[in-house]
Every structure is written in structure tokens, then in C-alpha cells.
Amino acid sequence: MRRQGLLLAFITTAGLATACGPGPGAVPCPAIAQATAVSVMIPASYAEQVAGLHLKACQDGTCTEADVELRPGSSSIDQGCTDGGCSATASPNGSKDGVLMLQALTESPMAVTASGTGPDGTALPVRSAEFRPRGDYPFGEQCGRFITATVILDAEGLRQQD
């Protein structure tokens, strides 16, 4: 379920492949940069109730907050592989996604608070979650560690994505 965090890394830069080391036998790594951000996913079951969203994220004594632009969410549909290349397409799924950019992102504990408005302008319940962003090597250890912080906002509250 770390696809959203990886998707965030992919959409922030070009996904061109480069070699991680000099010489023959180097393992290819995608030429992408890690986004220092908290991403929020609002499932289709709750998305229609959220018209505007404000996030505040605090980590290592620093807080960042801003209104978050919500975009329609999508699911990846596998298009198969031919001639050594694979492809997929995005299909709208009724969810909404947003991103709060940060100055830095570590695996230290983080507190995130979400507040927002409904389509009629009424305030939504303020929701908070405390968690540790996750570090992983999605492209292998030779390609570097990626840290992701993704939360889900729904009718039950705010929680870290599994």
C-alpha cells in the first residue's frame, strides 16, 4: 500500500533510468528525486464530503501548514508488457489526493492535523494522527532509501496508510 508515496516520488520528477555506478554490471536506478512531503488520500466513500483541506505537519520541532490542493485520485490499470517495455494507465476512482510539501522529511515521529470544509462551507471535524514516516528501498539498496509519509482521511478519522 505504499503506492501513493511512490506515486508522489514518480510525479515529482522524470522517471528516466540511469546507472547507479560506473562500469559494466551497474544496476539501473530510476532518475527520480524523493519528494519531502506528506501526501493525503481521501477515499471515494468520503471524497464528496471534502471540498477544501488544510494540513499541518510537525516533525523534529518544525511545523509546516497550508491549504492543500485536492486533485482527483486514480487507480493504475496494467496495460501489459511488450518488446521489453511495460505500461499502465490511470483510471479515475472517485477519490481525492493532496500533498503538503515540507522542508525536510525524516523517520522521526510526525504529527499531522487535518481540517477542512464541506461543499456547503461547513467545517469538517478536525482530525489528527501521530506516526513515523516509513523508509524503504523500493528500487534496491543500491538506489537509495525513500522515506514516505502518507495519511488517509475518511469518516473514521486520520491515520497513516498501511
Side-chain angles (χ1 to χ4, degrees), residues 1-158:
M1 297 302 292
R2 295 187 184 130
R3 288 182 297 165
Q4 188 66 21
L6 289 176
L7 177 62
L8 177 61
F10 282 111
I11 63 175
T12 58
T13 61
L16 304 173
T18 62
C20 286
V27 178
C29 295
I32 60 174
Q34 177 174 337
T36 53
V38 175
S39 59
V40 61
M41 296 172 41
I42 305 172
S45 60
Y46 191 62
E48 289 185 12
Q49 297 178 43
V50 182
L53 186 65
H54 186 88
L55 287 181
K56 178 178 181 181
C58 297
Q59 185 181 48
D60 298 328
T62 301
C63 294
T64 302
E65 65 179 300
D67 291 334
V68 174
E69 179 181 350
L70 295 174
R71 297 184 177 189
S74 62
S75 298
S76 293
I77 308 297
D78 184 358
Q79 300 267 298
C81 300
T82 59
D83 298 325
C86 299
S87 64
T89 187
S91 176
N93 62 13
S95 67
K96 292 181 181 177
D97 299 325
V99 176
L100 174 65
M101 297 304 294
L102 307 172
Q103 290 295 317
L105 178 62
T106 69
E107 290 180 87
S108 299
M110 172 178 273
V112 176
T113 301
S115 56
T117 55
D120 61 359
T122 60
L124 298 174
V126 175
R127 310 290 190 167
S128 296
E130 292 186 17
F131 63 96
R132 283 186 178 269
R134 294 188 175 122
D136 196 9
Y137 297 93
F139 308 108
E141 288 188 27
Q142 75 282 355
C143 295
R145 187 173 179 86
F146 280 71
I147 300 172
T148 59
T150 304
V151 293
I152 297 172
L153 175 64
D154 60 19
E156 297 175 23
L158 186 69

